[in-house]
DNA sequence: TTCCAGGAGAGAG
DNA sequence: CTCTCTCATGGA
């Protein structure tokens, strides 16, 4: 299957910018497990070549990817709106076409609970082991992977099993969240209808979901581009480049949301990825 | 050996 | 309200 005329889009930057933990590059193709199937995506200019492990309808798959990859976004307009200074201008130039994904809610919620006080390679490993243990085996050609564990599967798990996957002290947070989803205490249909601040407040009711993780879920799954996850990198970036002093999370949030406006989450993603990829990011 | 990683909870003040 | 300590894990 092909998707044509995809402009202002970069698959590599989108899938390798720390918002999803489930994509692997093999040569020039990306394999990932998305909502119960393996997808293989290859970008050639403005064309995406896509294969799926299921025989789903072509137009259904195209519509899904349009949403998942945020292809309907007017990137030139959005990026122009946050292109306020030389710092972010460099990031926008270097990573032009990077999108913020619209990922599955349960997977995003669970994954970012696991992300706290942790690093990306280890988060990926934990999720891979959880999927191997609790998910379903999937194959696409010779590529084998496992679906993300359902909330039901994790709600019924033993803490020992979660610990064996490397979750550490986050095991109980993960299980509690799974049980809240299964019981209906955490209602996804309602959560998806909430505006940003209400969704964030509701998410933060869960143990293991603080302000930063809630913002990641709002931004990477619920489509709230005004969400601003403040981790050590974002804090360092704003203190160094913009405020030029030590600042609290609240000061950073207030400045950034005022300075970048309603798409501050996108601005954050470009600054975050630029700092990760460019060791000399702090130099003017 | 110590430090760090897309942090958050609990307790003290 | 803010500050500090601790939490499990593995790679640098």
């Amino acid at each position: 299957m092909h998707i044509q005329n995809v402009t202002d889009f970069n698959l590599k930057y989108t899938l390798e910018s720390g918002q999803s933990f489930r994509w692997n590059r093999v040569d020039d193709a990306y394999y990932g497990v998305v909502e119960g199937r393996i997808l293989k995506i290859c970008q050639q200019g403005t064309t995406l070549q896509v294969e799926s492990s299921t025989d789903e309808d072509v137009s259904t798959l195209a519509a899904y990817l349009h949403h998942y990859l945020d292809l309907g976004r007017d990137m030139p307009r959005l990026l122009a709106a946050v292109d306020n200074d030389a710092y972010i201008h460099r990031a926008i130039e270097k990573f032009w076409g990077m999108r913020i994904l619209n990922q599955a809610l349960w997977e995003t919620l669970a994954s970012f609970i696991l992300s706290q006080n942790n690093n990306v390679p280890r988060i990926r490993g934990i999720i891979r082991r959880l999927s191997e243990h609790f998910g379903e085996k999937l194959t696409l050609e010779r590529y084998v992977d496992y679906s993300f564990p359902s909330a039901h599967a994790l709600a019924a798990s033993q803490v020992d099993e979660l610990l064996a996957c490397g979750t550490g002290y986050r095991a109980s947070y993960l299980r509690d969240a799974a049980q809240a989803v299964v019981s209906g205490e955490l209602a996804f249909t309602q959560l998806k209808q909430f505006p940003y601040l209400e969704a964030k407040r509701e998410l933060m009711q869960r143990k293991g979901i603080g302000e930063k993780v809630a913002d990641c879920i709002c931004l990477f799954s619920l489509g709230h581009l005004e969400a601003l996850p403040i981790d050590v990198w974002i804090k360092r970036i704003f203190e160094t480049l913009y405020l030029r002093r030590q600042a609290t999370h609240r000061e950073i949030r207030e400045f950034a949301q005022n300075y970048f406006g309603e798409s501050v989450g996108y601005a954050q993603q470009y600054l975050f990825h630029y700092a990760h990829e460019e060791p000399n990011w702090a130099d003017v």
Side-chain angles (χ1 to χ4, degrees):
Chain A
M1 195 269 275
H2 294 266
I3 301 178
Q4 312 275 3
N5 302 320
V6 179
T7 57
D8 306 307
F9 175 79
N10 187 296
L11 185 67
K12 174 184 173 65
Y13 300 154
T14 301
L15 299 182
E16 294 186 6
S17 57
Q19 46 181 323
S20 174
F21 305 104
R22 294 285 274 166
W23 288 94
N24 296 301
R25 188 173 63 79
V26 179
D27 299 324
D28 61 339
Y30 285 86
Y31 290 81
V33 181
V34 187
E35 306 235 27
R37 80 281 224 201
I38 295 174
L39 294 180
K40 176 187 179 185
I41 310 179
C42 185
Q43 178 173 20
Q44 292 149 337
T46 59
T47 298
L48 300 180
Q49 186 183 331
V50 182
E51 295 172 42
S52 171
S53 63
T54 64
D55 58 352
E56 59 196 304
D57 180 70
V58 169
S59 61
T60 306
L61 178 57
Y64 177 79
L65 282 170
H66 188 266
H67 171 70
Y68 177 79
L69 297 173
D70 207 27
L71 297 180
R73 189 73 53 190
D74 184 346
M75 291 303 286
R77 192 167 76 89
L78 186 153
L79 293 176
V82 297
D83 192 0
N84 290 343
D85 57 79
Y87 305 128
I88 194 167
H89 186 75
R90 289 182 308 189
I92 290 171
E93 263 190 338
K94 178 149 185 175
F95 295 112
W96 184 265
M98 178 170 63
R99 309 278 176 136
I100 287 179
L101 298 169
N102 293 111
Q103 304 181 70
L105 183 50
W106 164 242
E107 176 172 340
T108 308
L109 190 157
S111 296
F112 280 93
I113 282 178
L114 297 171
S115 77
Q116 69 156 282
N117 200 21
N118 213 339
N119 59 63
V120 171
R122 237 179 66 78
I123 298 164
R124 291 171 60 90
I126 294 168
I127 292 172
R128 182 176 49 74
R129 289 186 291 276
L130 284 172
S131 299
E132 286 170 359
H133 194 285
F134 295 100
E136 293 176 21
K137 187 176 183 180
L138 307 169
T139 60
L140 175 59
E141 300 161 0
R142 283 177 170 68
Y143 188 86
V144 179
D145 209 331
Y146 297 79
S147 63
F148 192 85
S150 67
H152 283 84
L154 293 187
S157 69
Q158 302 296 317
V159 176
D160 288 354
E161 298 177 282
L162 300 181
L163 288 175
C165 295
T167 56
Y169 68 91
R170 312 163 192 84
S172 61
Y173 299 154
L174 183 60
R175 222 169 71 93
D176 288 350
Q179 290 175 344
V181 171
V182 171
S183 73
E185 188 183 346
L186 187 55
F188 278 1
T189 32
Q190 188 184 37
L191 200 56
K192 290 176 181 174
Q193 293 169 348
F194 279 160
Y196 166 51
L197 287 177
E198 287 180 44
K200 181 173 171 179
R201 191 185 313 130
E202 179 64 24
L203 287 164
M204 288 176 68
Q205 298 299 111
R206 293 289 116 213
K207 281 198 177 180
I209 301 183
E211 183 163 35
K212 190 269 177 182
V213 168
D215 270 325
C216 283
I217 299 165
C218 285
L219 183 59
F220 300 139
S221 178
L222 293 174
H224 297 305
L225 302 188
E226 66 268 50
L228 175 65
I230 303 178
D231 70 329
V232 291
W233 286 86
I234 291 299
K235 182 167 165 26
R236 210 175 299 152
I237 288 165
F238 276 92
E239 286 180 337
T240 305
L241 299 181
Y242 291 96
L243 298 171
R244 299 185 178 279
R245 62 180 172 82
Q246 290 197 339
T248 64
H249 285 204
R250 205 173 72 180
E251 290 171 325
I252 292 168
R253 179 178 304 283
E254 188 174 351
F255 169 82
Q257 290 183 332
N258 179 55
Y259 183 69
F260 288 115
E262 61 184 1
S263 300
V264 62
Y266 252 103
Q268 169 274 154
Q269 193 64 13
Y270 276 78
L271 291 170
F272 175 88
H273 196 47
Y274 186 86
H276 268 75
E277 296 297 308
E278 175 53 64
N280 300 319
W281 62 270
D283 300 340
V284 178

